[in-house]
Amino acid sequence: MQSLKSVPKSGLHNPMKNPERYLMLGDVSFRAAEEMRKPDVLAHFAKLIQRTSPKSWAQAEAEVRVTRLFLENFSGDQVRFLARSFSVSGDHTGQTSIGNRWPFGPVVHIAPFNFPLEIPALQTMGALYMGNKPLVHTANKVSIVFEEFLRMLHACGLPKMDVDFVHGQGSTVGEILAQAQPRSIQFTGSEKVAEMLAKQHHGKVFLEDAGFDWKILGPDVKDKEYVAWQCDQDAYACSGQKCSAQSMLFMHENWAKAGMEKVLAARAATRKLSDLTVGPVLTWTTEAMLSHAEELLKIPGARVAWGGKPLEGTHSIPKQYGAIQPTAIFVPLSEMLKTPHNFDLVTKEIFGPFQVITEYNDHDLPHVLEACERMHHHLTAAVVSNDIQFLGRVLGNTVNGTTYCGIRARTTGAPQNHWFGPAGDPRGAGIGTPEAIRLVWSCHREIIQDYGPVPHEAKLVQS
Amino acid sequence: MQSLKSVPKSGLHNPMKNPERYLMLGDVSFRAAEEMRKPDVLAHFAKLIQRTSPKSWAQAEAEVRVTRLFLENFSGDQVRFLARSFSVSGDHTGQTSIGNRWPFGPVVHIAPFNFPLEIPALQTMGALYMGNKPLVHTANKVSIVFEEFLRMLHACGLPKMDVDFVHGQGSTVGEILAQAQPRSIQFTGSEKVAEMLAKQHHGKVFLEDAGFDWKILGPDVKDKEYVAWQCDQDAYACSGQKCSAQSMLFMHENWAKAGMEKVLAARAATRKLSDLTVGPVLTWTTEAMLSHAEELLKIPGARVAWGGKPLEGTHSIPKQYGAIQPTAIFVPLSEMLKTPHNFDLVTKEIFGPFQVITEYNDHDLPHVLEACERMHHHLTAAVVSNDIQFLGRVLGNTVNGTTYCGIRARTTGAPQNHWFGPAGDPRGAGIGTPEAIRLVWSCHREIIQDYGPVPHEAKLVQS
Amino acid sequence: MQSLKSVPKSGLHNPMKNPERYLMLGDVSFRAAEEMRKPDVLAHFAKLIQRTSPKSWAQAEAEVRVTRLFLENFSGDQVRFLARSFSVSGDHTGQTSIGNRWPFGPVVHIAPFNFPLEIPALQTMGALYMGNKPLVHTANKVSIVFEEFLRMLHACGLPKMDVDFVHGQGSTVGEILAQAQPRSIQFTGSEKVAEMLAKQHHGKVFLEDAGFDWKILGPDVKDKEYVAWQCDQDAYACSGQKCSAQSMLFMHENWAKAGMEKVLAARAATRKLSDLTVGPVLTWTTEAMLSHAEELLKIPGARVAWGGKPLEGTHSIPKQYGAIQPTAIFVPLSEMLKTPHNFDLVTKEIFGPFQVITEYNDHDLPHVLEACERMHHHLTAAVVSNDIQFLGRVLGNTVNGTTYCGIRARTTGAPQNHWFGPAGDPRGAGIGTPEAIRLVWSCHREIIQDYGPVPHEAKLVQS
Amino acid sequence: MQSLKSVPKSGLHNPMKNPERYLMLGDVSFRAAEEMRKPDVLAHFAKLIQRTSPKSWAQAEAEVRVTRLFLENFSGDQVRFLARSFSVSGDHTGQTSIGNRWPFGPVVHIAPFNFPLEIPALQTMGALYMGNKPLVHTANKVSIVFEEFLRMLHACGLPKMDVDFVHGQGSTVGEILAQAQPRSIQFTGSEKVAEMLAKQHHGKVFLEDAGFDWKILGPDVKDKEYVAWQCDQDAYACSGQKCSAQSMLFMHENWAKAGMEKVLAARAATRKLSDLTVGPVLTWTTEAMLSHAEELLKIPGARVAWGGKPLEGTHSIPKQYGAIQPTAIFVPLSEMLKTPHNFDLVTKEIFGPFQVITEYNDHDLPHVLEACERMHHHLTAAVVSNDIQFLGRVLGNTVNGTTYCGIRARTTGAPQNHWFGPAGDPRGAGIGTPEAIRLVWSCHREIIQDYGPVPHEAKLVQS
């Protein structure tokens, strides 16, 4: 608290203060990336992630790689390039206006459990790059991962005073925030906490919360095996515990006729606990997920497409976690839209290996778009089609922040090289790219130089 | 309400929907600017402003001119240029990521009384340019000005369905907002309402509220008459009823020794009611302002520098308004900082012709900076000096959103060509420039094209 | 000559000199656009164009409209926005590097006959905006059009000293150039003169010269009538006297089978002299064009697809001009590529209503791309297809500067809102857009501020 | 030659072809930087540089460091970020224009002897980043340095086919160029060769040639020791063999009165051959330099300020090289400007430890500016002053491409983080920064997507 309060609003550095720090941070980023290229460091972080978070090895490694590439992106002079300003001539000799990116000073970043390295690493570095001093909190079950990362940064030259890190319950953090009144809070996590923070702090927040993410398979059927593989990844990798996981699949009837459902079911059936391609669900119990399925099945025409049962075989996943088969419930499009009750039910986000699927035809497209419009959170989406006019129609009428289109479209697996974040909300945060960092971790400050000469005295009249 | 609810989140247009509207809005902007170049149209608007808002003719005309120049800036193709996207190559053939600016859809703009044309005109056009449908409310005593502007836009080709305009009390608007739940609200006005809206709408707001604006006269004394004239304008034009008005003046002892206070007092003494160079204060009574002065005078060392009395002579300003002489109270710097009570007192914003002045020397600069740091709202500021190292030190340690520096530095009179808005607050709004419009009236949407070809089937493994 | 020599290299204005001129030019642009919106002014310019250049009314009006929209784009503050700089923090306190756009000072623009208003208007204004003083020459038969435009600018407030305009033969201009040694020359016109100037002035030129422009109809046949209409426009509007005119058409066999040739021939047959939809050719005689056709017909498999004859009926086109029917010669793709002689023949640009057409199938695509690669000038091109992977393949392997793709792709009719110019040549000029103006009419100047403080004396060692 | 000819104009990659290569080059850059951080690799390159080029250890090390930092700047995704495009909405649904950066394909880079690592490394990587295949030639006496660098790149993953490297005489390269006709040539070296290449290749060149670089000491005298140290570095480090070396020094009389000349002379006197702080001159003999001094001394009022003699003591510098003391000749400003002969004489660039110095007062400033205007090559410059209005006047009236201002202003030592290159010449090249790479190694290509729907047939009329 003391530490947060001692940071000036003008930050640890800004374009007119301590520019050496831009270079120091570029150097730390390079050194940290260099470390993470070492096979044993990579393995160390991937194992830590697996120990705290139910992921396959491939998923854990990918998280480390994305973090490393992000660090490479801000090597050398790239931190100061990130903070570049622009200037425009003024009205008379000696006048110029300059648009700068300015830090907030004392800030807070709160990270969830599901990407214990990538999310806090990228957001914390972004906060630092722009001149802030962040207090970081990550979900307490996984906080060892970021602690290790922070220790590595110290070894790579980051001054120890630059980042404060707090372990412990969210409630502790809440109290710190209430008293320290940081200038800005970046929160990644559940919708409920997000809205609470937004209210308490009168909106001094950037949020990346729930996403009810959909995928539309367009009229042009091709590359069926690939599309099925990608659907399966999007719905079930990390046991569906990504805010970008595919929660609803709209299949054009052409895909249905081509037997897509069967192919998807076959893919899902290959997932198994032994290699963590399916695993424990941390925030929903088995019972809760299956009773949600039952509620869905009460909708006329609804049916289990595949899954819908607890994980088979003996396993040691504790009761307070969930353990179900990769599951899809088919619900007819017309029924979804019929009542608000139904719509709320089908668009409820289950943070597990669970999705709703449906079918549409050419005439139904407006209803598909209506469904997308009525949803509440707009994080990722996918439009699987190479039909350029179809894409134009869907993209022009939707707002998801990170939207993939084309035959290879996916909803998950966002890398460090493009923007990831929700759209349609003024509080929406982005992560990782230059644009995201500039938006979330800095604000505009205009400095107008007006050095004269001054006009002749006789011209000065009162107004 | 119905109208707001009927707007899709993807707006009236966006980079992939109805691009013709970008051109239509460029054309409307040109035509409206063309109208406002006509002397009688200019005079009509300037008179309307003067009838509703206590301004001199020069100040009223300037408001019309800034509005016109803003419209000229978005003529022709400039609206679509404003909405430009960028794209970056992806990881493999057929993949490209595109960063777009996307509208929020149904939005609200609420404008105050003091710039009845400029503020709602610039913000409303900005909202439209980016594809939103705005509901506009301006302070009800002055709303006729924007109504006339809107009628002119209709005559210039703006479809009547594009903007909703609501007269009436703020409370009515509050109810509409509560029920219609717009996607974003841009509010310009008092801090109290701003924070209330921010809380009620969980931060889905962009705010341009109170500013306690300071000016520092640096160690290098030159162009004394000019600097005095500018100080007088900043403190007393529009009777101090600008959110950018100079509320505190820090004079280096070199200026004090050079007799600056006397020059300032002489300037202030030339203001008179007859030409509205001083006039009624709409939100503070005479009594309220003078008793605030009395409170200040209890601080040890405080004294009236000039003014401090009701406006002399007979006049017809009603009791519920304020009418005082241009006033300055001198308070010693050390006393200001001594107690939170004193500091709160000297930094209370009086929306009238009233300022606090003080003096400092070379050794005091850290205390001046401490005072700037402890203030709460960071809208405009001025550092009057051509001493480049002095400027660097002050600018690097402060955060005001629109900061003028150099011997001609001012706090008021921001034009349409540079950013105007607070800094240091994630909810901070800007007005008028391309950057301001893109920030306030649109959000980032990333579309990733991924058209294939797809990888060979054998490469598809579960993860 | 004297006038050119008297201009300093730092121009009439730059970001640190006479910034008022940016505003003046924004104002002149607005006023000029305002004038050109008047129906009689529009008609005056369109008629002038028609009197000097063989165009239909629609083509002449379009030229005036594009010029007006360009002027609208640079109204208000947009000229100074165009000249914006960027700055980046340096290595230590007080150091900042600033990237500016700087003028060349004395410059020359030479314009051809075929767009007597648009080309010199856009390039001259661009030169002025960035701070240069241009000497302008347009083809002497059409120079009255620009003279009228310049007079209008003067009436709109442009100082008379800002632009020098020289009528007369190209040779006169050549002499002026040789003696005055301008800092940069922008030439739009024939390849021959372009290369001569480039050599004489050691490459201090920006060129927009010949274009041998092709169009490829992809495998997906749709909207046949529209595509045919567009092909006809591209090949024959303005009697083919545009540097962007379609000179070669590659038809996928699917289009051939769908009867495209017949549809195209029918379209061409509707053109007539009476409304100038076909008209005199200024730089090629009838005989020269027809003997070129004969040469082509010697290639095995070549045939007249349509046209190939002098214009029928009595007309008053003088002998030194050309007058032929809209013509297309079919040449087999394999024969084109067989010998350098053939290839040179088919890719010779005829500045008249004349094109070569050919056919290809899926296996031939590499040969089509080879043909595109072997051509010499890369101005415009079109790939008529909505097949996204086909487009990717063609676009990724070609370099034409202004390339249209999609079912509505064209080669002509470039407006003011996107870049127009050749690619693949370091001397290549663009016209009209902010990027084009910044490239052609200004250069980068980096100013590094380094205000101190200075390091301690003891640190200063010799190196 | 064969290799150059086999490269397509669309390059090895571009935004629509082989995007994987952007990532590969980012990775190679990181790995190469990683290598160069190793102390022994750093030492290896620094020693190689010293063996081929007469530099002190500090100067050699700095060259390696700048090269490494440049590589760090283009790690990770930064190569593809460098090639980013922008897009703007079109006139109707389905139309969008995209501004891309496109390679030239087969290109050539020719580098001089004085920065045997930095110049070819930065330019070659820039050429590669944008998709070109470069043929590289460096001055044959130093070409081993770049060969080692290239081998290191190969070890870091660069495909061997990506860069061609030719040792040998310039004449050999000239022949290759004449026959292979590369699309663009970047030449860094002497003015004479530059103009010859420009003429031969009709301006398909980007040049970084001679610079006659000046420094002005403004009216405000402060930090004398520092300024003297910097002057000495700029004139004499690397024995003056930098194209950015200070060739003329304008001292305000205030500096003269403060005894600056004596301080400068004392600094120069500390340079010695033993540590290479002064050393052999490669392109001017001792005799040539001293007879140039004699010519200068014939100007009325001219005198030797310091130096002006051969290097004392025994040394092994061969006769074909030069070896003189750090030298300054004072020439009165009025005499310099009096005749073209004098002016040519004083502004002749001596590529050695040699400068002309002069003095001016407040009234003379226009003459100083005239001198700057009349010079021919505008590479670097320095205005040593913190007087903001003085700076504005000098900067606004000059054009040097890389201009330092402020009390720490210098002419040499440009790093990788800001633009370095001449201004005022359309053929001017920059080096190292994102802007420089985009300008020199790519061109604009506009792709306009126009996917439809198409307008109704009835609307299609001939024009």
Side-chain angles (χ1 to χ4, degrees), chain A residues 114 186 436 454:
Chain A
N114 60 339
Q186 195 287 314
V454 305

Side-chain angles (χ1 to χ4, degrees), chain C residues 126-146:
Chain C
L128 284 170
Y129 292 158
M130 299 314 288
N132 304 286
K133 174 166 182 173
L135 167 70
V136 179
H137 175 73
T138 68
N140 64 341
K141 282 172 190 153
V142 304
S143 61
I144 188 174
V145 184
F146 186 73

Side-chain angles (χ1 to χ4, degrees), chain A residues 105-165:
Chain A
V107 298
V108 171
H109 163 61
I110 303 175
F113 76 90
N114 60 339
F115 284 88
L117 176 63
E118 181 182 340
I119 292 177
L122 271 58
Q123 293 290 17
T124 301
M125 295 311 291
L128 284 170
Y129 292 158
M130 299 312 289
N132 304 285
K133 174 164 181 174
L135 167 70
V136 179
H137 175 73
T138 68
N140 65 341
K141 283 171 189 151
V142 305
S143 60
I144 189 174
V145 184
F146 185 73
E147 184 181 324
E148 286 288 284
F149 180 75
L150 193 52
R151 286 179 191 281
M152 187 185 72
L153 291 180
H154 292 158
C156 293
L158 187 75
K160 293 202 175 167
M161 301 299 291
D162 276 20
V163 178
D164 291 326
F165 182 46

Side-chain angles (χ1 to χ4, degrees), chain B residues 144-161:
Chain B
I144 189 174
V145 184
F146 185 73
E147 184 181 325
E148 285 288 284
F149 180 75
L150 193 52
R151 287 179 191 280
M152 188 185 71
L153 292 180
H154 292 158
C156 293
L158 186 75
K160 294 200 174 165
M161 301 299 292

Side-chain angles (χ1 to χ4, degrees), chain C residues 115-223:
Chain C
F115 285 88
L117 176 63
E118 182 181 337
I119 291 175
L122 271 59
Q123 292 291 17
T124 302
M125 295 310 292
L128 284 170
Y129 292 158
M130 299 314 288
N132 304 286
K133 174 166 182 173
L135 167 70
V136 179
H137 175 73
T138 68
N140 64 341
K141 282 172 190 153
V142 304
S143 61
I144 188 174
V145 184
F146 186 73
E147 183 181 325
E148 286 288 285
F149 180 74
L150 193 52
R151 286 179 191 279
M152 187 186 72
L153 291 181
H154 292 158
C156 293
L158 186 76
K160 292 198 176 168
M161 302 299 291
D162 276 21
V163 178
D164 291 325
F165 182 46
V166 57
H167 289 286
Q169 297 297 329
S171 55
T172 320
V173 182
E175 269 172 55
I176 297 178
L177 298 190
Q179 292 193 33
Q181 289 293 325
R183 305 288 292 170
S184 188
I185 301 169
Q186 196 287 313
F187 173 82
T188 306
S190 78
E191 182 189 350
K192 203 180 121 197
V193 178
E195 294 299 334
M196 192 192 70
L197 279 171
K199 195 172 174 183
Q200 280 174 355
H201 292 271
H202 291 200
K204 293 185 180 179
V205 293
F206 286 101
L207 306 177
E208 200 260 271
D209 59 343
F212 188 84
D213 309 306
W214 46 262
K215 181 182 283 174
I216 297 172
L217 306 187
D220 48 326
V221 178
K222 60 179 284 199
D223 299 318

Side-chain angles (χ1 to χ4, degrees), chain D residues 392-443:
Chain D
R393 200 163 163 205
V394 176
L395 295 172
N397 286 290
T398 52
V399 301
N400 296 56
T402 301
T403 308
Y404 297 84
C405 70
I407 202 68
R408 297 185 69 168
R410 62 190 199 264
T411 67
T412 62
Q416 76 297 330
N417 62 293
H418 70 65
W419 170 280
F420 180 81
D425 189 320
R427 308 162 306 177
I431 185 168
T433 63
E435 288 72 28
I437 297 174
R438 287 170 65 95
L439 175 74
V440 174
W441 296 113
S442 70
C443 61

Side-chain angles (χ1 to χ4, degrees), chain D residues 80-110:
Chain D
R80 57 172 150 185
F81 289 171
L82 184 67
R84 68 153 49 182
S85 310
F86 66 91
S87 55
V88 174
S89 288
D91 291 347
H92 44 248
T93 298
Q95 195 187 59
T96 307
S97 61
I98 305 171
N100 299 278
R101 296 309 301 177
W102 220 254
F104 294 111
V107 299
V108 171
H109 163 62
I110 302 174

Side-chain angles (χ1 to χ4, degrees), chain B residues 124-350:
Chain B
T124 301
M125 295 311 291
L128 284 170
Y129 292 158
M130 299 312 289
N132 304 286
K133 174 165 182 173
L135 167 69
V136 179
H137 175 74
T138 67
N140 64 342
K141 282 170 189 153
V142 306
S143 61
I144 189 174
V145 184
F146 185 73
E147 184 181 325
E148 285 288 284
F149 180 75
L150 193 52
R151 287 179 191 280
M152 188 185 71
L153 292 180
H154 292 158
C156 293
L158 186 75
K160 294 200 174 165
M161 301 299 292
D162 275 20
V163 177
D164 292 325
F165 182 46
V166 56
H167 290 286
Q169 297 296 329
S171 55
T172 319
V173 182
E175 270 172 55
I176 295 177
L177 297 191
Q179 292 193 33
Q181 290 293 324
R183 305 288 293 169
S184 188
I185 300 169
Q186 195 288 313
F187 173 83
T188 306
S190 77
E191 181 190 350
K192 202 179 123 199
V193 177
E195 294 298 334
M196 191 192 69
L197 279 172
K199 194 172 175 185
Q200 280 173 355
H201 292 272
H202 292 199
K204 292 185 180 178
V205 294
F206 285 102
L207 305 177
E208 198 260 271
D209 58 344
F212 188 84
D213 309 307
W214 46 263
K215 181 182 281 173
I216 297 172
L217 305 186
D220 48 327
V221 178
K222 62 179 282 198
D223 298 318
K224 198 162 63 173
E225 275 305 317
Y226 180 83
V227 172
W229 171 81
Q230 186 64 62
C231 283
D232 183 75
Q233 290 286 9
D234 286 343
Y236 303 132
C238 295
S239 301
Q241 292 167 92
K242 296 179 177 182
C243 46
S244 58
Q246 170 184 315
S247 297
M248 186 170 286
L249 180 68
F250 298 90
M251 266 187 289
H252 190 279
E253 61 176 355
N254 295 350
W255 286 90
K257 285 174 188 157
M260 187 62 169
E261 195 174 317
K262 202 174 283 183
V263 183
L264 286 169
R267 274 268 158 204
T270 67
R271 295 192 167 267
K272 51 185 185 288
L273 186 57
S274 61
D275 60 2
L276 283 175
T277 51
V278 67
V281 173
L282 270 64
T283 53
W284 282 71
T285 62
T286 303
E287 200 183 5
M289 287 186 282
L290 296 184
S291 52
H292 180 67
E294 274 168 45
E295 283 303 305
L296 286 170
L297 292 169
K298 289 177 189 165
I299 297 175
R303 61 181 166 81
V304 173
W306 59 83
K309 295 187 190 155
L311 270 189
E312 284 163 6
T314 52
H315 60 72
S316 58
I317 299 175
K319 280 236 158 178
Q320 63 270 38
Y321 293 160
I324 64 166
Q325 295 175 349
T327 295
I329 308 293
F330 181 95
V331 180
L333 179 58
S334 57
E335 295 295 330
M336 280 186 194
L337 297 170
K338 201 167 274 176
T339 67
H341 170 81
N342 284 5
F343 194 74
D344 288 352
L345 207 60
V346 297
T347 60
K348 188 175 176 79
E349 189 186 1
I350 310 302

